[in-house]
C-alpha cells in the first residue's frame, strides 16, 4: 500500500492501473483523497459538501466487484469532484446560491448516473459562482475559493471549486460546466487541462440551467489522457435532453500520443494584442513554436466578428438566465422568505428572490429581462443572435484553412481576490478568448503551457475545433503536452513549483 500523500499525486490513469493490478484498493485511494481534503480545505475551500460516507461506500462496491471478477471500466475506483450545479440524488445541490440552500435532489443528472455506472467515486460537490455566473468563484454565496498556486488569487470561474480541487490534489478528476469559458478559464489559471465538449455531446439533463443554448459539462484533469478518459465516460446521446446529439461517442483516448505532422493550426489574429499580459503571450508563442517543431503547419487567420462576441454573449446568456431562473419562485423548492400566512404569493416570491439571489445573478436577470422586453427584443436579443451567426461563419471560414485554431485561453494569469469584484466589465473580459466557441457550439480545450515570467503563475493555451471534431483537440494537446515538462506542483505541497517550456532539441 502506498502512503496517502503519494496516492493523491498520481494521475487518474496511474490510479486506475494501480487498482487494476491489485496494488491498492479503491477504498484506500478514496481515503487518501478524503484525508487530503480535510488537510487543505481550510486554505482552499474547493468543496461545499464532502460526501465521505457515500464516497467510501461507492469505493467499497468497486472493490467488491473487482474481487468478484466483474469487468470494470477504465475509471473504476477513481475519485472525482463534482461541480455543485449537477444534481446528485440525496446530496445537497445549491448552485452556489442561498436560494437552493439545503435542497437535496430526488434524481441524478445523466452525467452523474454515467459516472456512477463507470465506477467513478464521487467525493462531493464543489464551490462555484452562483448559478455559474462569474469568472472568479467570488460570487458564491458560501465564500470564495482560493487558487492553490497562490491563495491570494482567484481559481477562475465559474467552476473554480472543481479546478482548485484538482490543482490542490484533493481529486485527480473533476467535472465543471462551461457557458462562456467556465471550464477552460479556471483550468488555465490553475495549471490544468479543461475541456468544453461539442455542444450537445454531453447531456444537460440534471444540469441546473443558466443559459440553455450555451451550457455544457466537461472534464478537468492533470493530463490530456485523463481528460479524454473522463470525457468518454460522460458523453453520449440522452433522450432526456432535447439538445443531446444522437452521435456515437468518439474515441478520444486513442488520439493521445498520435503524431501531428501536417496538422494545420490557425492562430486567431483577434485573440491577442492590447490587454493581453506579456508573459501570457510569450508562453503562447513559445508553445506555437513547439507545435511547428512537431511538424504542424501554422498560419494566422482572421475572425473579424470575434470582437463582438463578448457583447453578444452578455445579451444572450442573461436573456436565457432570466427565463431559466424564473423557476426559483419560493413555491416549489428551496428558500422561502416572509411566508407568515398574511403575505401574498407575489410578496413571498419577491422577498425570497431578493434574499436568495446575489448581486451578479440579479444583475444578469435584470439585463436579460430588459433585453427580452417588448420593444427591445429585436434591438438587443435579436441582434445578438445575428452576431452569433456571424461568429459561427467566421469559424467555418477559418476551418477551411485549418484543422484547429489556437489562442491564449485567457488574457491574463489569475488576478487577485477582490481585484475585479466592483468592476463587472473587467471581470467579464476574463472570458474574452473562450466565449466564441460557446456561441458557435464547437469544442475547445485548455492546456497548461508554462508559468508566466511576469508572476510565476500558470498560462493556458486554448485549442478549438469544429463541432463533433473533439478528437482533434486531444490529438494536438496530447502531442504538445508530451513535449513540455509539465510537473504539476503548487505551493501547498511544493516550495517552488516549476513548469518549464522547452522543446526537445
Amino acid at each position: 500500500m502506498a502512503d496517502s500523500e503519494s496516492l493523491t499525486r498520481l494521475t487518474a490513469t496511474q490510479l486506475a492501473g494501480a487498482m487494476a493490478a491489485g496494488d491498492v484498493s479503491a477504498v484506500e485511494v478514496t481515503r487518501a483523497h478524503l484525508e487530503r481534503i480535510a488537510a487543505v480545505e481550510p486554505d482552499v475551500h474547493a468543496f461545499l459538501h464532502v460526501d465521505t460516507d457515500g464516497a467510501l461506500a461507492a469505493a467499497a462496491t468497486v472493490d467488491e466487484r473487482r474481487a468478484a471478477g466483474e469487468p470494470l471500466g477504465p475509471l473504476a475506483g477513481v475519485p472525482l469532484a463534482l461541480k455543485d450545479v449537477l444534481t446528485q440524488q440525496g446530496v445537497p445541490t445549491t448552485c452556489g446560491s442561498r436560494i437552493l440552500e439545503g435542497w437535496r435532489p430526488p434524481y441524478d443528472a445523466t452525467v452523474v448516473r454515467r459516472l456512477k455506472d463507470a465506477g467513478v467515486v464521487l467525493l462531493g460537490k464543489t464551490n462555484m459562482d452562483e448559478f455559474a455566473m462569474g469568472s472568479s468563484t467570488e460570487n458564491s454565496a458560501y465564500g470564495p475559493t482560493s487558487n492553490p498556486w497562490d491563495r491570494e488569487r482567484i481559481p477562475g470561474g465559474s467552476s473554480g471549486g472543481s479546478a482548485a480541487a484538482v490543482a490542490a490534489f484533493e481529486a485527480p478528476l473533476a467535472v465543471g460546466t462551461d457557458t462562456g469559458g467556465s471550464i477552460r478559464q479556471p483550468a488555465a489559471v490553475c495549471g490544468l487541462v479543461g475541456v468544453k465538449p461539442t455542444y450537445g455531446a454531453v447531456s444537460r439533463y440534471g444540469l441546473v440551467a443558466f443559459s440553455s443554448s450555451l451550457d455544457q459539462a466537461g472534464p478537468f484533469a492533470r493530463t490530456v489522457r485523463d481528460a479524454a478518459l473522463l470525457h468518454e465516460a460522460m458523453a453520449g446521446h440522452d433522450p432526456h435532453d432535447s439538445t443531446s446529439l444522437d452521435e456515437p461517442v468518439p474515441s478520444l483516448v486513442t488520439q493521445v500520443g498520435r503524431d501531428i505532422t501536417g496538422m494545420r493550426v490557425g492562430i486567431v489574429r483577434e485573440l491577442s494584442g492590447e490587454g493581453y499580459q506579456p508573459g501570457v503571450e510569450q508562453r503562447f508563442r513559445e508553445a506555437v513554436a513547439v507545435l511547428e517543431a512537431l511538424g504542424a503547419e501554422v498560419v494566422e487567420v482572421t475572425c473579424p466578428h470575434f470582437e463582438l462576441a463578448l457583447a453578444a454573449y452578455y445579451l444572450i446568456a442573461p436573456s436565457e438566465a432570466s427565463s431559466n431562473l424564473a423557476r426559483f419562485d419560493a413555491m416549489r423548492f428551496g428558500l422561502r422568505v416572509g411566508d407568515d400566512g398574511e403575505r401574498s404569493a407575489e410578496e413571498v416570491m419577491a422577498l425570497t428572490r431578493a434574499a436568495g439571489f446575489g448581486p451578479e445573478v440579479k444583475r444578469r436577470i435584470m439585463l436579460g429581462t430588459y433585453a427580452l422586453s417588448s420593444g427591445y427584443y429585436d434591438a438587443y436579443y435579436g441582434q445578438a443572435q445575428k452576431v452569433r451567426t456571424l461568429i459561427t461563419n467566421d469559424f467555418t471560414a477559418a476551418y477551411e484553412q485549418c484543422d484547429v485554431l489556437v489562442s491564449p485561453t485567457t488574457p491574463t494569469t489569475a488576478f487577485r481576490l477582490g481585484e475585479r469584484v466592483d468592476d463587472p466589465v473587467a471581470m467579464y473580459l476574463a472570458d474574452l478568448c473562450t466565449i466564441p466557441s460557446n456561441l458557435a457550439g464547437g469544442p475547445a480545450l485548455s492546456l497548461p503551457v508554462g508559468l508566466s515570467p511576469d508572476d510565476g503563475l500558470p498560462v493556458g493555451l486554448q485549442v478549438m475545433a469544429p463541432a463533433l471534431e473533439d478528437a482533434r483537440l486531444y490529438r494536438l494537446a496530447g502531442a504538445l503536452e508530451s513535449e513540455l515538462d509539465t510537473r504539476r506542483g503548487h505551493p501547498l505541497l511544493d516550495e517552488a513549483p516549476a513548469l518549464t517550456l522547452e522543446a526537445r532539441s
Side-chain angles (χ1 to χ4, degrees), residues 30 32-52 55 79-84 88 91-92 94 96 121-128 137 140 142-146 148 155 159-175:
T30 300
H33 286 87
L34 290 170
E35 290 171 7
R36 177 68 183 161
I37 291 169
V40 304
E41 268 301 280
D43 291 326
V44 180
H45 187 43
F47 284 86
L48 294 178
H49 175 78
V50 179
D51 187 17
T52 300
L80 178 141
L82 187 69
K83 185 177 181 179
D84 199 28
Q88 182 179 351
V91 175
T94 69
V121 175
L122 304 180
L123 294 171
K125 307 298 283 295
T126 57
N127 199 14
M128 57 181 284
T137 314
S140 170
Y142 305 99
T145 296
S146 293
S159 308
S162 290
V166 178
F169 298 104
E170 297 175 280
L173 297 172
V175 172

Side-chain angles (χ1 to χ4, degrees), residues 203-242:
S203 174
R204 292 189 305 109
Y205 178 74
L207 192 171
V208 181
F210 159 23
S211 180
S212 300
S213 73
L214 300 167
D215 298 339
Q216 187 63 77
F220 284 101
R222 290 195 287 271
T223 70
V224 175
R225 179 181 175 82
D226 283 2
L229 283 167
L230 180 53
H231 189 153
E232 287 188 18
M234 296 167 59
H237 177 62
D238 179 16
H240 291 108
D241 177 4
S242 63

Side-chain angles (χ1 to χ4, degrees), residues 13-256:
T13 299
Q14 291 168 333
L15 285 169
M19 285 185 281
D23 296 334
V24 66
S25 70
V27 168
E28 289 168 339
V29 169
T30 300
R31 284 193 187 280
H33 286 87
L34 290 170
E35 290 171 7
R36 177 68 183 161
I37 291 169
V40 304
E41 268 301 280
D43 291 326
V44 180
H45 187 43
F47 284 86
L48 294 178
H49 175 78
V50 179
D51 187 17
T52 300
D53 293 340
L56 290 171
T61 299
V62 171
D63 287 336
E64 291 167 5
R65 293 177 61 196
R66 182 169 277 123
E70 291 186 34
L72 299 173
L75 290 177
V78 176
L80 178 141
L82 187 69
K83 185 177 181 179
D84 199 28
V85 72
L86 288 152
T87 60
Q88 182 179 351
Q89 185 175 6
V91 175
T93 300
T94 69
C95 299
S97 180
R98 292 290 182 196
I99 209 161
L100 280 176
E101 189 170 20
W103 182 56
R104 294 176 181 261
Y107 69 102
D108 282 335
T110 296
V111 164
V112 171
R113 178 176 53 78
R114 285 179 174 160
L115 292 174
K116 287 181 176 180
D117 290 346
V120 173
V121 175
L122 304 180
L123 294 171
K125 307 298 283 295
T126 57
N127 199 14
M128 57 181 284
D129 284 302
E130 186 179 5
F131 285 103
M133 298 181 193
S135 302
S136 66
T137 314
E138 293 172 287
N139 293 330
S140 170
Y142 305 99
T145 296
S146 293
N147 188 323
W149 285 85
D150 181 342
R151 282 168 276 168
E152 299 301 317
R153 294 180 184 264
I154 59 102
S158 62
S159 308
S162 290
V166 178
F169 298 104
E170 297 175 280
L173 297 172
V175 172
T177 61
D178 193 309
T179 305
S182 288
I183 292 173
R184 289 160 290 156
Q185 184 252 4
V189 301
C190 287
L192 304 173
V193 178
V195 186
K196 183 197 87 71
T198 294
Y199 178 80
V202 175
S203 174
R204 292 189 305 109
Y205 178 74
L207 192 171
V208 181
F210 159 23
S211 180
S212 300
S213 73
L214 300 167
D215 298 339
Q216 187 63 77
F220 284 101
R222 290 195 287 271
T223 70
V224 175
R225 179 181 175 82
D226 283 2
L229 283 167
L230 180 53
H231 189 153
E232 287 188 18
M234 296 167 59
H237 177 62
D238 179 16
H240 291 108
D241 177 4
S242 63
T243 62
S244 177
L245 298 173
D246 192 3
E247 297 285 341
V249 179
S251 178
L252 303 173
V253 178
T254 58
Q255 298 296 315
V256 182

